[in-house]
Amino acid sequence: MATRKSVCPHNCPDTCGLIITTKNDQVISLHGDPQHPVTGGAICGKVRQHYREKVHGSHRVLTPLIRTGEKGSGAFKPISWERALSIIVDRFEAIIASANPTAILPYSYSGTIGIIQNGSMDRRFFHRLGAATLERTICAAAGTEAFRYTMGASVGLQPEETRFANLVIVWGSNLVVTNVHQWLYILEARKRGAKVIVIDVERTETARQADWFIQIKPGTDLELALGIQHVLIEEELINGSFIERQTVGFRELAAHVATYSLDRVERMTGINKEDIQRLARMYGTEKRSFIRIGNGQQHHHSGGMSTRAILSLPALTGAWEAKGGGAIYFNLKHGEYSSDILHRPDLRTNEERRVNMNELGKVLLSQQEPILALFVYNSNPASVAPDQRKVLQGLARDNLFVVVHEQQLTDTAKFADIVLPATTFLEHDDVYRSYWHPYWQLGRRVISPIGQSKSNTELFRMLANAFHFQELCFRDNDETLMKQAIFGDSSVDSGVWEQFLSGKPIRWKPTHLSAQQIEPWKIGEYETPSGKIELYSEAMHEAGLPPLPEKIPYKQAAAPYQLIISPSRKGLNSQFIEYAKGKPVVQLSKEDAMREGIYDGDRVCLFNDHGQLTCTANVSEACQQGVIIARGVWWHHQHEQQGNFNTLTGGDLSDFGGGATFFSTYVQVKKSEA
């Protein structure tokens, strides 16, 4: 038996410390690291229960594979690594000679959030090749851009401090499922006397534990935030000193929110105006208030503006100055690293072509500058990308050469011409930082690679060699890459490096950042053009966007029900969901079920202009009228048909930031005849 420290590699803000037990090069168990200063030994069941099967199960891809049947059939035969690389080189070189290297599109996201396996040697390779550049905007692009316009960067309160809040608002997040250690801090605050309010479209696991649950109509978070601001300003529940010192645009904002009367906001949000007033007064009179801003509100067409409006609240009350006060969305700043050193965009010699990953289906079917090769790694777009019908049609093109680097035959891998076996995080080295807490940690390889699997960094070093790239950066080994991620272009501190090698979590501030860049409110210097929190943004005005938070008009679908695809406790995006028992269900209210003649347990068909999907109905009191709740991104075969809930989503982008609009999906529903 041996035990080693590691880090959970999945796209989750907690980035938990792990203890891995192995025997004879086999994983025996995974447990939380009790010495981790934030995650403290608690980990979710998804990792604890399923990871051994994920690593050692019979579903692992063990050798390179070449397609032998139709695309999507999953018919392959093994080939050697040498043969696989030779085919890739020949096809890529033919595309470059006959068309343009930008006809080759890499597609990746967060199959691992380890820094070097997520994005280092791969970015160097595709820059040097001259391939198209993927805009990785599927998750939090709108909210992150809202923070950049308002605060100058994605900054927020340190999670440990949130235990000192006296009032907590969880806005658009089911923390019990998606950020459990933040919820534990909130429970600590509650023991100290804090009140906990949850604002969400459904009565989630988190909402059921709140002191007050406020159910909001989907996509009306902007209006609620402006209604709260209306009360704060009208009743003088604001911090004039903080506003004067650390913000710009208050006068313009005050005139704007004056039009959002409580009657108007009640009609828009479905929330009683007395409750809106009560909420605003609670927030305005408690300076030690904390808002955990979730992803729920920013997956709508108005996602950027909604986040910007919510973010204006602690600026009006000056909550940033109080211990435990302020807000968190994604604390990207203290996890920032010198990406140019890892990615080497200077290797590109041709004009860059940028492709938004949320428009993959449209791009794959476009006749103008067609994509002729797709290289997928760290992602499963056939399951997770919006506008799924177009994505699958694009993947099925005979003239599209598809390479997938994967651990198992995912929905995407089944469309590949070449499948390459990939390691799990237990089979390679990496360095991890959270986008929520400030601790960095190394995760070292604890077992040998399964079969012939290769890590991302090793794969792209092999490809660079196969293309005879001569640049020295392609010879950097993983240790060099990890040091570049941690220290940037500064010299390596051997003492700090030894701490990292020990597996000890380190509260790490990247060497190129100053303290005020991470917590700018402490001295009132922000990375905005004005150097202050911008309630009114001149930069947005110059970009052709409303400078104050307001909805940009968009065409809403005519279908009567809004579909919300919320995270499943059983899976993380499409990961782990293949181990889930049961079948996908959708929740709808009693009133809507009665109207449509649907009973609990019935098979129902959801449909719109994008596609249709049949699944099981769950009639639930947790669901409000006009809303249908779907859980998770299930694999296609678990629906007993090709496709999942993304069959119904479209490729529209958010109001700014190029983000996905999964929750602005409208459907019709009927009882299935099948």
Side-chain angles (χ1 to χ4, degrees), residues 265-324:
V265 175
E266 179 182 64
R267 289 194 301 271
M268 291 176 167
T269 64
I271 301 169
N272 185 284
K273 64 182 178 181
E274 285 78 16
D275 285 338
I276 298 170
Q277 187 175 56
R278 176 189 169 202
L279 173 61
R281 287 173 174 172
M282 289 177 67
Y283 185 75
T285 55
E286 178 49 72
K287 302 307 179 187
R288 195 177 286 187
S289 57
F290 163 60
I291 305 177
R292 179 59 169 101
I293 304 173
N295 246 3
Q297 88 295 330
Q298 69 95 54
H299 277 314
H300 295 274
H301 281 110
S302 58
M305 288 295 185
S306 294
T307 306
R308 183 158 149 71
I310 297 168
L311 185 56
S312 299
L313 293 170
L316 292 179
T317 64
W320 293 109
E321 294 184 317
K323 187 174 184 179

Side-chain angles (χ1 to χ4, degrees), residues 171-185:
W171 199 316
S173 181
N174 188 6
L175 295 179
V176 172
V177 172
T178 63
N179 188 190
V180 65
H181 295 92
Q182 177 66 80
W183 182 245
L184 296 178
Y185 280 137

Side-chain angles (χ1 to χ4, degrees), residues 509-551:
K509 178 177 73 66
T511 52
H512 65 287
L513 295 180
S514 62
Q516 61 263 31
Q517 287 177 301
I518 296 174
E519 298 178 308
W521 51 87
K522 290 190 174 181
I523 60 173
E525 293 183 8
Y526 302 84
E527 294 183 65
T528 55
S530 66
K532 296 184 177 183
I533 298 173
E534 299 200 348
L535 304 174
Y536 177 100
S537 171
E538 187 61 37
M540 295 185 74
H541 177 68
E542 292 175 357
L545 296 166
L548 294 164
E550 63 177 279
K551 275 189 174 171

